[in-house]
mmCIF file of all heavy atoms in Angstrom:
data_model
loop_
_atom_site.group_PDB
_atom_site.id
_atom_site.type_symbol
_atom_site.label_atom_id
_atom_site.label_comp_id
_atom_site.label_asym_id
_atom_site.label_seq_id
_atom_site.Cartn_x
_atom_site.Cartn_y
_atom_site.Cartn_z
ATOM 1 N N ILE A 1 13.578 -1.629 11.331
ATOM 2 C CA ILE A 1 13.887 -2.192 10.016
ATOM 3 C C ILE A 1 13.647 -3.697 9.995
ATOM 4 O O ILE A 1 13.099 -4.240 9.033
ATOM 5 C CB ILE A 1 15.352 -1.877 9.628
ATOM 6 C CG1 ILE A 1 15.509 -0.368 9.380
ATOM 7 C CG2 ILE A 1 15.776 -2.676 8.403
ATOM 8 C CD1 ILE A 1 16.938 0.069 9.160
ATOM 9 N N PHE A 2 14.029 -4.386 11.073
ATOM 10 C CA PHE A 2 13.963 -5.850 11.079
ATOM 11 C C PHE A 2 12.676 -6.399 11.705
ATOM 12 O O PHE A 2 12.464 -7.623 11.687
ATOM 13 C CB PHE A 2 15.184 -6.432 11.813
ATOM 14 C CG PHE A 2 16.447 -6.331 11.009
ATOM 15 C CD1 PHE A 2 17.338 -5.283 11.214
ATOM 16 C CD2 PHE A 2 16.748 -7.269 10.036
ATOM 17 C CE1 PHE A 2 18.498 -5.171 10.473
ATOM 18 C CE2 PHE A 2 17.912 -7.177 9.288
ATOM 19 C CZ PHE A 2 18.788 -6.116 9.505
ATOM 20 N N ALA A 3 11.826 -5.524 12.218
ATOM 21 C CA ALA A 3 10.591 -5.988 12.852
ATOM 22 C C ALA A 3 9.733 -6.867 11.943
ATOM 23 O O ALA A 3 9.201 -7.897 12.395
ATOM 24 C CB ALA A 3 9.777 -4.789 13.345
ATOM 25 N N PRO A 4 9.577 -6.537 10.630
ATOM 26 C CA PRO A 4 8.759 -7.396 9.765
ATOM 27 C C PRO A 4 9.263 -8.831 9.667
ATOM 28 O O PRO A 4 8.465 -9.749 9.432
ATOM 29 C CB PRO A 4 8.835 -6.694 8.401
ATOM 30 C CG PRO A 4 9.103 -5.269 8.736
ATOM 31 C CD PRO A 4 10.010 -5.307 9.925
ATOM 32 N N SER A 5 10.561 -9.061 9.855
ATOM 33 C CA SER A 5 11.114 -10.409 9.733
ATOM 34 C C SER A 5 10.840 -11.269 10.962
ATOM 35 O O SER A 5 11.074 -12.478 10.937
ATOM 36 C CB SER A 5 12.626 -10.330 9.495
ATOM 37 O OG SER A 5 13.285 -9.793 10.637
ATOM 38 N N LYS A 6 10.327 -10.646 12.023
ATOM 39 C CA LYS A 6 10.074 -11.372 13.265
ATOM 40 C C LYS A 6 8.609 -11.753 13.420
ATOM 41 O O LYS A 6 8.226 -12.346 14.439
ATOM 42 C CB LYS A 6 10.533 -10.531 14.452
ATOM 43 C CG LYS A 6 12.029 -10.203 14.417
ATOM 44 C CD LYS A 6 12.432 -9.281 15.563
ATOM 45 C CE LYS A 6 13.923 -8.939 15.473
ATOM 46 N NZ LYS A 6 14.350 -8.029 16.567
ATOM 47 N N ARG A 7 7.787 -11.399 12.425
ATOM 48 C CA ARG A 7 6.355 -11.713 12.517
ATOM 49 C C ARG A 7 6.056 -13.022 11.807
ATOM 50 O O ARG A 7 6.523 -13.268 10.709
ATOM 51 C CB ARG A 7 5.536 -10.580 11.898
ATOM 52 C CG ARG A 7 5.693 -9.256 12.614
ATOM 53 C CD ARG A 7 4.728 -8.203 12.090
ATOM 54 N NE ARG A 7 4.953 -6.939 12.783
ATOM 55 C CZ ARG A 7 5.533 -5.871 12.242
ATOM 56 N NH1 ARG A 7 5.928 -5.921 10.976
ATOM 57 N NH2 ARG A 7 5.725 -4.787 12.952
ATOM 58 N N GLU A 8 5.258 -13.870 12.463
ATOM 59 C CA GLU A 8 4.846 -15.115 11.837
ATOM 60 C C GLU A 8 3.643 -14.908 10.930
ATOM 61 O O GLU A 8 3.431 -15.650 9.982
ATOM 62 C CB GLU A 8 4.512 -16.149 12.922
ATOM 63 C CG GLU A 8 5.731 -16.568 13.741
ATOM 64 C CD GLU A 8 5.396 -17.640 14.753
ATOM 65 O OE1 GLU A 8 4.223 -18.100 14.745
ATOM 66 O OE2 GLU A 8 6.278 -18.023 15.519
ATOM 67 N N LYS A 9 2.834 -13.896 11.235
ATOM 68 C CA LYS A 9 1.692 -13.532 10.407
ATOM 69 C C LYS A 9 1.716 -12.034 10.190
ATOM 70 O O LYS A 9 2.126 -11.267 11.070
ATOM 71 C CB LYS A 9 0.379 -13.934 11.074
ATOM 72 C CG LYS A 9 0.191 -15.428 11.240
ATOM 73 C CD LYS A 9 -1.156 -15.733 11.886
ATOM 74 C CE LYS A 9 -1.374 -17.232 12.033
ATOM 75 N NZ LYS A 9 -2.698 -17.545 12.653
ATOM 76 N N GLY A 10 1.292 -11.627 8.995
ATOM 77 C CA GLY A 10 1.302 -10.198 8.723
ATOM 78 C C GLY A 10 0.760 -9.867 7.347
ATOM 79 O O GLY A 10 0.013 -10.654 6.758
ATOM 80 N N VAL A 11 1.159 -8.725 6.856
ATOM 81 C CA VAL A 11 0.645 -8.183 5.597
ATOM 82 C C VAL A 11 1.770 -8.076 4.580
ATOM 83 O O VAL A 11 2.875 -7.609 4.894
ATOM 84 C CB VAL A 11 0.022 -6.779 5.826
ATOM 85 C CG1 VAL A 11 -0.455 -6.187 4.509
ATOM 86 C CG2 VAL A 11 -1.113 -6.863 6.826
ATOM 87 N N ASP A 12 1.504 -8.532 3.370
ATOM 88 C CA ASP A 12 2.467 -8.441 2.272
ATOM 89 C C ASP A 12 2.624 -6.971 1.868
ATOM 90 O O ASP A 12 1.632 -6.301 1.562
ATOM 91 C CB ASP A 12 1.946 -9.247 1.080
ATOM 92 C CG ASP A 12 2.945 -9.328 -0.065
ATOM 93 O OD1 ASP A 12 3.830 -8.446 -0.161
ATOM 94 O OD2 ASP A 12 2.813 -10.250 -0.886
ATOM 95 N N PRO A 13 3.849 -6.425 1.837
ATOM 96 C CA PRO A 13 4.033 -5.020 1.464
ATOM 97 C C PRO A 13 3.563 -4.716 0.041
ATOM 98 O O PRO A 13 3.145 -3.584 -0.244
ATOM 99 C CB PRO A 13 5.543 -4.801 1.621
ATOM 100 C CG PRO A 13 6.150 -6.159 1.550
ATOM 101 C CD PRO A 13 5.135 -7.061 2.173
ATOM 102 N N ASN A 14 3.622 -5.709 -0.844
ATOM 103 C CA ASN A 14 3.149 -5.494 -2.214
ATOM 104 C C ASN A 14 1.648 -5.185 -2.225
ATOM 105 O O ASN A 14 1.175 -4.386 -3.041
ATOM 106 C CB ASN A 14 3.426 -6.730 -3.069
ATOM 107 C CG ASN A 14 4.903 -6.906 -3.343
ATOM 108 O OD1 ASN A 14 5.531 -6.105 -4.021
ATOM 109 N ND2 ASN A 14 5.476 -7.963 -2.782
ATOM 110 N N LEU A 15 0.914 -5.808 -1.326
ATOM 111 C CA LEU A 15 -0.518 -5.547 -1.220
ATOM 112 C C LEU A 15 -0.767 -4.107 -0.788
ATOM 113 O O LEU A 15 -1.649 -3.417 -1.326
ATOM 114 C CB LEU A 15 -1.156 -6.514 -0.220
ATOM 115 C CG LEU A 15 -2.637 -6.277 0.110
ATOM 116 C CD1 LEU A 15 -3.494 -6.439 -1.140
ATOM 117 C CD2 LEU A 15 -3.088 -7.215 1.229
ATOM 118 N N VAL A 16 0.023 -3.621 0.165
ATOM 119 C CA VAL A 16 -0.120 -2.253 0.663
ATOM 120 C C VAL A 16 0.172 -1.254 -0.447
ATOM 121 O O VAL A 16 -0.578 -0.294 -0.662
ATOM 122 C CB VAL A 16 0.818 -2.011 1.859
ATOM 123 C CG1 VAL A 16 0.830 -0.528 2.232
ATOM 124 C CG2 VAL A 16 0.381 -2.852 3.052
ATOM 125 N N VAL A 17 1.263 -1.483 -1.188
ATOM 126 C CA VAL A 17 1.627 -0.577 -2.267
ATOM 127 C C VAL A 17 0.547 -0.539 -3.343
ATOM 128 O O VAL A 17 0.194 0.525 -3.865
ATOM 129 C CB VAL A 17 2.987 -0.992 -2.888
ATOM 130 C CG1 VAL A 17 3.274 -0.193 -4.166
ATOM 131 C CG2 VAL A 17 4.112 -0.777 -1.878
ATOM 132 N N GLU A 18 -0.018 -1.698 -3.659
ATOM 133 C CA GLU A 18 -1.082 -1.762 -4.666
ATOM 134 C C GLU A 18 -2.335 -1.023 -4.204
ATOM 135 O O GLU A 18 -2.969 -0.298 -4.975
ATOM 136 C CB GLU A 18 -1.411 -3.217 -4.969
ATOM 137 C CG GLU A 18 -2.415 -3.420 -6.092
ATOM 138 C CD GLU A 18 -1.920 -2.933 -7.443
ATOM 139 O OE1 GLU A 18 -0.689 -2.851 -7.634
ATOM 140 O OE2 GLU A 18 -2.765 -2.637 -8.319
ATOM 141 N N LYS A 19 -2.700 -1.181 -2.942
ATOM 142 C CA LYS A 19 -3.857 -0.476 -2.400
ATOM 143 C C LYS A 19 -3.642 1.034 -2.434
ATOM 144 O O LYS A 19 -4.541 1.802 -2.809
ATOM 145 C CB LYS A 19 -4.129 -0.934 -0.965
ATOM 146 C CG LYS A 19 -4.824 -2.292 -0.852
ATOM 147 C CD LYS A 19 -5.113 -2.631 0.599
ATOM 148 C CE LYS A 19 -5.960 -3.897 0.716
ATOM 149 N NZ LYS A 19 -7.337 -3.676 0.243
ATOM 150 N N LEU A 20 -2.457 1.470 -2.051
ATOM 151 C CA LEU A 20 -2.144 2.905 -2.071
ATOM 152 C C LEU A 20 -2.191 3.448 -3.489
ATOM 153 O O LEU A 20 -2.717 4.553 -3.738
ATOM 154 C CB LEU A 20 -0.768 3.159 -1.463
ATOM 155 C CG LEU A 20 -0.653 2.974 0.060
ATOM 156 C CD1 LEU A 20 0.806 2.989 0.487
ATOM 157 C CD2 LEU A 20 -1.423 4.070 0.793
ATOM 158 N N ARG A 21 -1.653 2.672 -4.428
ATOM 159 C CA ARG A 21 -1.662 3.111 -5.838
ATOM 160 C C ARG A 21 -3.087 3.286 -6.332
ATOM 161 O O ARG A 21 -3.416 4.285 -6.974
ATOM 162 C CB ARG A 21 -0.912 2.106 -6.699
ATOM 163 C CG ARG A 21 -0.841 2.518 -8.183
ATOM 164 C CD ARG A 21 -0.117 1.476 -9.025
ATOM 165 N NE ARG A 21 1.264 1.329 -8.622
ATOM 166 C CZ ARG A 21 1.778 0.237 -8.087
ATOM 167 N NH1 ARG A 21 1.002 -0.818 -7.869
ATOM 168 N NH2 ARG A 21 3.050 0.183 -7.753
ATOM 169 N N ASN A 22 -3.956 2.327 -6.024
ATOM 170 C CA ASN A 22 -5.337 2.407 -6.481
ATOM 171 C C ASN A 22 -6.060 3.615 -5.890
ATOM 172 O O ASN A 22 -6.899 4.234 -6.550
ATOM 173 C CB ASN A 22 -6.083 1.129 -6.107
ATOM 174 C CG ASN A 22 -5.626 -0.068 -6.913
ATOM 175 O OD1 ASN A 22 -5.080 0.077 -8.012
ATOM 176 N ND2 ASN A 22 -5.824 -1.271 -6.378
ATOM 177 N N ILE A 23 -5.736 3.943 -4.641
ATOM 178 C CA ILE A 23 -6.363 5.104 -4.000
ATOM 179 C C ILE A 23 -5.880 6.405 -4.656
ATOM 180 O O ILE A 23 -6.686 7.288 -4.979
ATOM 181 C CB ILE A 23 -6.038 5.134 -2.496
ATOM 182 C CG1 ILE A 23 -6.688 3.950 -1.785
ATOM 183 C CG2 ILE A 23 -6.494 6.457 -1.859
ATOM 184 C CD1 ILE A 23 -6.196 3.747 -0.359
ATOM 185 N N MET A 24 -4.574 6.511 -4.877
ATOM 186 C CA MET A 24 -3.998 7.802 -5.274
ATOM 187 C C MET A 24 -4.140 8.100 -6.768
ATOM 188 O O MET A 24 -4.076 9.264 -7.166
ATOM 189 C CB MET A 24 -2.519 7.844 -4.875
ATOM 190 C CG MET A 24 -2.281 7.738 -3.364
ATOM 191 S SD MET A 24 -3.158 9.004 -2.398
ATOM 192 C CE MET A 24 -2.283 10.475 -2.910
ATOM 193 N N VAL A 25 -4.303 7.076 -7.611
ATOM 194 C CA VAL A 25 -4.443 7.342 -9.055
ATOM 195 C C VAL A 25 -5.891 7.507 -9.478
ATOM 196 O O VAL A 25 -6.165 7.776 -10.646
ATOM 197 C CB VAL A 25 -3.787 6.228 -9.910
ATOM 198 C CG1 VAL A 25 -2.320 6.086 -9.585
ATOM 199 C CG2 VAL A 25 -4.514 4.892 -9.744
ATOM 200 N N ASP A 26 -6.817 7.371 -8.559
ATOM 201 C CA ASP A 26 -8.220 7.597 -8.889
ATOM 202 C C ASP A 26 -8.384 9.019 -9.435
ATOM 203 O O ASP A 26 -7.810 9.971 -8.908
ATOM 204 C CB ASP A 26 -9.078 7.416 -7.634
ATOM 205 C CG ASP A 26 -10.561 7.481 -7.947
ATOM 206 O OD1 ASP A 26 -11.089 8.590 -8.060
ATOM 207 O OD2 ASP A 26 -11.194 6.413 -8.082
ATOM 208 N N SER A 27 -9.164 9.161 -10.491
ATOM 209 C CA SER A 27 -9.297 10.457 -11.154
ATOM 210 C C SER A 27 -9.838 11.547 -10.241
ATOM 211 O O SER A 27 -9.521 12.725 -10.394
ATOM 212 C CB SER A 27 -10.210 10.327 -12.388
ATOM 213 O OG SER A 27 -11.509 9.908 -12.015
ATOM 214 N N GLN A 28 -10.653 11.166 -9.245
ATOM 215 C CA GLN A 28 -11.212 12.145 -8.327
ATOM 216 C C GLN A 28 -10.232 12.568 -7.238
ATOM 217 O O GLN A 28 -10.520 13.473 -6.460
ATOM 218 C CB GLN A 28 -12.489 11.585 -7.693
ATOM 219 C CG GLN A 28 -13.628 11.409 -8.684
ATOM 220 C CD GLN A 28 -14.898 10.898 -8.017
ATOM 221 O OE1 GLN A 28 -14.862 9.936 -7.267
ATOM 222 N NE2 GLN A 28 -15.998 11.576 -8.276
ATOM 223 N N VAL A 29 -9.100 11.908 -7.208
ATOM 224 C CA VAL A 29 -8.044 12.257 -6.246
ATOM 225 C C VAL A 29 -6.845 12.854 -6.964
ATOM 226 O O VAL A 29 -6.211 13.784 -6.469
ATOM 227 C CB VAL A 29 -7.616 11.005 -5.447
ATOM 228 C CG1 VAL A 29 -6.394 11.302 -4.573
ATOM 229 C CG2 VAL A 29 -8.768 10.502 -4.588
ATOM 230 N N HIS A 30 -6.574 12.354 -8.145
ATOM 231 C CA HIS A 30 -5.363 12.721 -8.876
ATOM 232 C C HIS A 30 -5.586 13.872 -9.859
ATOM 233 O O HIS A 30 -4.671 14.659 -10.119
ATOM 234 C CB HIS A 30 -4.835 11.499 -9.628
ATOM 235 C CG HIS A 30 -3.532 11.715 -10.333
ATOM 236 N ND1 HIS A 30 -2.389 12.109 -9.682
ATOM 237 C CD2 HIS A 30 -3.199 11.605 -11.643
ATOM 238 C CE1 HIS A 30 -1.403 12.230 -10.566
ATOM 239 N NE2 HIS A 30 -1.869 11.929 -11.746
ATOM 240 N N ILE A 31 -6.795 13.998 -10.414
ATOM 241 C CA ILE A 31 -7.023 14.979 -11.487
ATOM 242 C C ILE A 31 -8.078 16.010 -11.094
ATOM 243 O O ILE A 31 -7.767 17.189 -10.908
ATOM 244 C CB ILE A 31 -7.424 14.262 -12.793
ATOM 245 C CG1 ILE A 31 -6.336 13.261 -13.212
ATOM 246 C CG2 ILE A 31 -7.656 15.291 -13.906
ATOM 247 C CD1 ILE A 31 -6.698 12.398 -14.389
ATOM 248 N N VAL A 32 -9.331 15.599 -10.992
ATOM 249 C CA VAL A 32 -10.423 16.510 -10.636
ATOM 250 C C VAL A 32 -10.799 16.218 -9.188
ATOM 251 O O VAL A 32 -11.476 15.237 -8.911
ATOM 252 C CB VAL A 32 -11.627 16.332 -11.573
ATOM 253 C CG1 VAL A 32 -12.747 17.286 -11.199
ATOM 254 C CG2 VAL A 32 -11.200 16.564 -13.024
ATOM 255 N N LYS A 33 -10.370 17.079 -8.278
ATOM 256 C CA LYS A 33 -10.463 16.793 -6.853
ATOM 257 C C LYS A 33 -11.653 17.504 -6.213
ATOM 258 O O LYS A 33 -12.194 18.445 -6.758
ATOM 259 C CB LYS A 33 -9.167 17.240 -6.168
ATOM 260 C CG LYS A 33 -7.914 16.711 -6.830
ATOM 261 C CD LYS A 33 -6.665 17.423 -6.342
ATOM 262 C CE LYS A 33 -5.455 17.044 -7.174
ATOM 263 N NZ LYS A 33 -4.238 17.788 -6.780
#
């Protein structure tokens, strides 16, 4: 749980969520697969 707070450099979780959202809402993944 606390590992992210000990990193001096890393990845913003908001960026990860946005990337995942873009992947999963694509029409070829979400609707016509």
Side-chain angles (χ1 to χ4, degrees):
I1 292 173
F2 287 96
S5 66
K6 299 176 182 179
R7 297 188 182 107
E8 294 183 3
K9 295 181 179 180
V11 177
D12 185 338
N14 290 294
L15 174 62
V16 171
V17 171
E18 185 64 23
K19 282 182 173 290
L20 289 169
R21 182 182 296 115
N22 290 337
I23 294 169
M24 298 304 292
V25 301
D26 187 279
S27 61
Q28 292 182 310
V29 173
H30 184 59
I31 302 174
V32 180
K33 309 166 189 176

